[in-house]
Amino acid sequence: MPALDPSDALIVVHVQRDFLPGGALAVGEGDAVVEPLNRWIDRCRAAGARVFATRDWHPPDHCSFEAQGGPWPAHCVAGTAGAEFAASLRLPGDCRVISQASDPAREAYSGFDGTELLTQLQRAGSRRLWIGGLATDYCVRATVLDAVKEGFETHVLTEAIRPVEVHPGDGRRALEEMRAAGAIVEEPAGNER
Ligand code: VGL
Ligand code: ZN
């Protein structure tokens, strides 16, 4: 594990209550990402590296919701308790929050899609990205693939991600796709995920 410096950035993807156990769109073991992400947040603060947190920030009538014919139950409606970050997640005071998928008519799984994320990373001089959060097979996947496309050295924190797995194996396939695209998949010893 290389030492971090101010040109590193951590991107915490959608660690929001609706994606945690008991939430409207709960990801299995979703809460397991919090502890490793807290350790990464501490490392970033010590190194002067930036921390970004993306959040799903849907209008109540978002097209991805079942009531509108979409695939998902209503979740992460802007301003509701379900859209709040996990209480146990220790985001730093200077964390940059990126809200996404706020247009009722458009889905946006990537944190780069329709947001200021790229501009803010460029302004911060970020070169190397460390990405974890929820969910492996949707918003982590899309954010990682866009980060690679934008030319960042992109690391996926496998211990800090969990999949929705609408179809069994989706999480593993998403990881393979990210790796094939050029992302560096950090594999802690003994972790098959
Ligand atoms: C997500 C499904 C719907 C995600 C967001 O954050 O991966 N998945 N909205
Ligand atoms: Zn969503």
Short mmCIF file of all heavy atoms in Angstrom, two decimals, residues 56-84:
data_model
loop_
_atom_site.label_atom_id
_atom_site.label_comp_id
_atom_site.label_asym_id
_atom_site.label_seq_id
_atom_site.Cartn_x
_atom_site.Cartn_y
_atom_site.Cartn_z
N ASP A 56 -26.75 9.49 -3.81
CA ASP A 56 -27.91 9.37 -4.67
C ASP A 56 -28.91 10.39 -4.11
O ASP A 56 -29.17 10.41 -2.90
CB ASP A 56 -28.46 7.94 -4.51
CG ASP A 56 -28.88 7.32 -5.82
OD1 ASP A 56 -28.62 7.90 -6.88
OD2 ASP A 56 -29.47 6.21 -5.76
N TRP A 57 -29.44 11.25 -4.96
CA TRP A 57 -30.21 12.39 -4.47
C TRP A 57 -31.40 12.60 -5.39
O TRP A 57 -31.47 13.53 -6.17
CB TRP A 57 -29.27 13.61 -4.42
CG TRP A 57 -29.66 14.72 -3.52
CD1 TRP A 57 -29.99 16.00 -3.90
CD2 TRP A 57 -29.71 14.71 -2.09
NE1 TRP A 57 -30.25 16.77 -2.78
CE2 TRP A 57 -30.09 16.01 -1.67
CE3 TRP A 57 -29.50 13.72 -1.11
CZ2 TRP A 57 -30.25 16.35 -0.32
CZ3 TRP A 57 -29.65 14.06 0.23
CH2 TRP A 57 -30.02 15.35 0.61
N HIS A 58 -32.34 11.62 -5.28
CA HIS A 58 -33.43 11.54 -6.24
C HIS A 58 -34.61 12.43 -5.87
O HIS A 58 -34.94 12.57 -4.69
CB HIS A 58 -33.96 10.09 -6.30
CG HIS A 58 -33.00 9.09 -6.84
ND1 HIS A 58 -32.30 9.26 -8.01
CD2 HIS A 58 -32.64 7.85 -6.38
CE1 HIS A 58 -31.56 8.18 -8.25
NE2 HIS A 58 -31.74 7.31 -7.27
N PRO A 59 -35.32 12.94 -6.89
CA PRO A 59 -36.64 13.55 -6.64
C PRO A 59 -37.64 12.44 -6.32
O PRO A 59 -37.41 11.29 -6.68
CB PRO A 59 -36.97 14.24 -7.96
CG PRO A 59 -36.22 13.47 -8.99
CD PRO A 59 -34.97 12.96 -8.32
N PRO A 60 -38.76 12.77 -5.67
CA PRO A 60 -39.72 11.72 -5.25
C PRO A 60 -40.31 10.94 -6.42
O PRO A 60 -40.78 9.82 -6.22
CB PRO A 60 -40.82 12.50 -4.52
CG PRO A 60 -40.31 13.87 -4.30
CD PRO A 60 -39.16 14.11 -5.23
N ASP A 61 -40.29 11.52 -7.61
CA ASP A 61 -40.87 10.84 -8.78
C ASP A 61 -39.79 10.41 -9.77
O ASP A 61 -40.00 10.43 -10.98
CB ASP A 61 -41.87 11.77 -9.48
CG ASP A 61 -41.21 13.08 -9.93
OD1 ASP A 61 -40.07 13.36 -9.49
OD2 ASP A 61 -41.83 13.82 -10.73
N HIS A 62 -38.65 9.99 -9.26
CA HIS A 62 -37.54 9.63 -10.16
C HIS A 62 -37.91 8.46 -11.07
O HIS A 62 -38.59 7.51 -10.63
CB HIS A 62 -36.29 9.29 -9.35
CG HIS A 62 -35.06 9.20 -10.19
ND1 HIS A 62 -34.42 8.00 -10.44
CD2 HIS A 62 -34.37 10.15 -10.86
CE1 HIS A 62 -33.38 8.23 -11.24
NE2 HIS A 62 -33.32 9.53 -11.50
N CYS A 63 -37.41 8.51 -12.29
CA CYS A 63 -37.75 7.48 -13.29
C CYS A 63 -37.28 6.09 -12.92
O CYS A 63 -37.76 5.10 -13.47
CB CYS A 63 -37.19 7.89 -14.66
SG CYS A 63 -35.39 8.03 -14.67
N SER A 64 -36.32 5.97 -12.01
CA SER A 64 -35.81 4.64 -11.64
C SER A 64 -36.70 3.94 -10.61
O SER A 64 -36.46 2.79 -10.27
CB SER A 64 -34.38 4.75 -11.09
OG SER A 64 -34.38 5.23 -9.75
N PHE A 65 -37.72 4.64 -10.12
CA PHE A 65 -38.58 4.06 -9.08
C PHE A 65 -39.70 3.23 -9.72
O PHE A 65 -40.21 3.58 -10.80
CB PHE A 65 -39.21 5.15 -8.20
CG PHE A 65 -38.21 5.95 -7.39
CD1 PHE A 65 -38.62 7.09 -6.70
CD2 PHE A 65 -36.86 5.59 -7.30
CE1 PHE A 65 -37.72 7.85 -5.95
CE2 PHE A 65 -35.96 6.33 -6.55
CZ PHE A 65 -36.39 7.47 -5.88
N GLU A 66 -40.12 2.17 -9.02
CA GLU A 66 -41.14 1.26 -9.54
C GLU A 66 -42.42 2.00 -9.93
O GLU A 66 -43.04 1.68 -10.95
CB GLU A 66 -41.44 0.17 -8.51
CG GLU A 66 -40.33 -0.89 -8.48
CD GLU A 66 -40.25 -1.66 -7.17
OE1 GLU A 66 -41.00 -1.31 -6.21
OE2 GLU A 66 -39.42 -2.59 -7.09
N ALA A 67 -42.81 3.01 -9.17
CA ALA A 67 -44.05 3.75 -9.45
C ALA A 67 -44.00 4.41 -10.83
O ALA A 67 -45.03 4.68 -11.44
CB ALA A 67 -44.32 4.79 -8.38
N GLN A 68 -42.79 4.69 -11.30
CA GLN A 68 -42.61 5.31 -12.63
C GLN A 68 -42.23 4.25 -13.67
O GLN A 68 -41.79 4.59 -14.78
CB GLN A 68 -41.52 6.39 -12.58
CG GLN A 68 -41.99 7.76 -12.12
CD GLN A 68 -42.43 7.76 -10.66
OE1 GLN A 68 -43.58 8.01 -10.38
NE2 GLN A 68 -41.52 7.42 -9.77
N GLY A 69 -42.30 2.98 -13.31
CA GLY A 69 -41.93 1.93 -14.25
C GLY A 69 -40.46 1.55 -14.21
O GLY A 69 -39.98 0.79 -15.06
N GLY A 70 -39.73 2.07 -13.24
CA GLY A 70 -38.31 1.77 -13.12
C GLY A 70 -38.05 0.49 -12.34
O GLY A 70 -38.98 -0.16 -11.86
N PRO A 71 -36.78 0.10 -12.22
CA PRO A 71 -36.43 -1.18 -11.59
C PRO A 71 -36.35 -1.17 -10.07
O PRO A 71 -36.30 -2.23 -9.46
CB PRO A 71 -35.04 -1.47 -12.17
CG PRO A 71 -34.46 -0.12 -12.48
CD PRO A 71 -35.62 0.77 -12.84
N TRP A 72 -36.36 -0.01 -9.43
CA TRP A 72 -36.03 0.04 -8.00
C TRP A 72 -37.18 0.56 -7.14
O TRP A 72 -37.95 1.41 -7.60
CB TRP A 72 -34.82 0.97 -7.75
CG TRP A 72 -33.63 0.69 -8.59
CD1 TRP A 72 -33.12 1.51 -9.57
CD2 TRP A 72 -32.77 -0.46 -8.54
NE1 TRP A 72 -32.01 0.93 -10.12
CE2 TRP A 72 -31.77 -0.28 -9.52
CE3 TRP A 72 -32.77 -1.62 -7.77
CZ2 TRP A 72 -30.76 -1.22 -9.74
CZ3 TRP A 72 -31.76 -2.56 -8.00
CH2 TRP A 72 -30.78 -2.36 -8.96
N PRO A 73 -37.28 0.09 -5.91
CA PRO A 73 -38.18 0.76 -4.98
C PRO A 73 -37.69 2.20 -4.74
O PRO A 73 -36.50 2.47 -4.94
CB PRO A 73 -38.06 -0.08 -3.69
CG PRO A 73 -36.78 -0.82 -3.81
CD PRO A 73 -36.51 -1.00 -5.29
N ALA A 74 -38.58 3.06 -4.34
CA ALA A 74 -38.17 4.45 -4.05
C ALA A 74 -37.07 4.44 -3.01
O ALA A 74 -37.12 3.70 -2.02
CB ALA A 74 -39.36 5.26 -3.57
N HIS A 75 -36.02 5.22 -3.24
CA HIS A 75 -34.88 5.25 -2.31
C HIS A 75 -34.15 6.57 -2.45
O HIS A 75 -34.23 7.24 -3.48
CB HIS A 75 -33.91 4.09 -2.63
CG HIS A 75 -33.31 4.19 -3.99
ND1 HIS A 75 -33.97 3.77 -5.13
CD2 HIS A 75 -32.13 4.72 -4.43
CE1 HIS A 75 -33.23 4.01 -6.19
NE2 HIS A 75 -32.11 4.60 -5.81
N CYS A 76 -33.45 6.94 -1.41
CA CYS A 76 -32.59 8.14 -1.42
C CYS A 76 -33.28 9.35 -2.02
O CYS A 76 -32.72 10.03 -2.89
CB CYS A 76 -31.27 7.84 -2.15
SG CYS A 76 -30.28 6.58 -1.34
N VAL A 77 -34.48 9.61 -1.55
CA VAL A 77 -35.19 10.82 -1.97
C VAL A 77 -34.54 12.00 -1.25
O VAL A 77 -34.36 11.97 -0.02
CB VAL A 77 -36.69 10.71 -1.67
CG1 VAL A 77 -37.40 12.04 -1.94
CG2 VAL A 77 -37.31 9.59 -2.52
N ALA A 78 -34.17 13.01 -2.03
CA ALA A 78 -33.43 14.15 -1.51
C ALA A 78 -34.08 14.71 -0.25
O ALA A 78 -35.29 14.94 -0.23
CB ALA A 78 -33.36 15.23 -2.58
N GLY A 79 -33.28 14.90 0.78
CA GLY A 79 -33.75 15.53 2.00
C GLY A 79 -34.41 14.59 3.00
O GLY A 79 -34.71 15.00 4.12
N THR A 80 -34.63 13.31 2.63
CA THR A 80 -35.25 12.37 3.56
C THR A 80 -34.18 11.65 4.39
O THR A 80 -32.99 11.66 4.04
CB THR A 80 -36.10 11.32 2.83
OG1 THR A 80 -35.23 10.51 2.01
CG2 THR A 80 -37.16 11.97 1.95
N ALA A 81 -34.63 10.99 5.47
CA ALA A 81 -33.71 10.27 6.35
C ALA A 81 -32.96 9.18 5.58
O ALA A 81 -31.78 8.93 5.83
CB ALA A 81 -34.46 9.67 7.53
N GLY A 82 -33.64 8.53 4.63
CA GLY A 82 -33.01 7.46 3.89
C GLY A 82 -31.86 7.92 3.01
O GLY A 82 -31.00 7.14 2.63
N ALA A 83 -31.84 9.20 2.69
CA ALA A 83 -30.78 9.74 1.84
C ALA A 83 -29.57 10.21 2.66
O ALA A 83 -28.54 10.57 2.09
CB ALA A 83 -31.32 10.89 1.00
N GLU A 84 -29.71 10.20 3.99
CA GLU A 84 -28.58 10.65 4.83
C GLU A 84 -27.43 9.65 4.77
O GLU A 84 -27.63 8.46 4.58
CB GLU A 84 -29.05 10.77 6.30
CG GLU A 84 -29.95 11.97 6.52
CD GLU A 84 -30.59 11.94 7.91
OE1 GLU A 84 -30.16 11.14 8.77
OE2 GLU A 84 -31.54 12.72 8.11
#
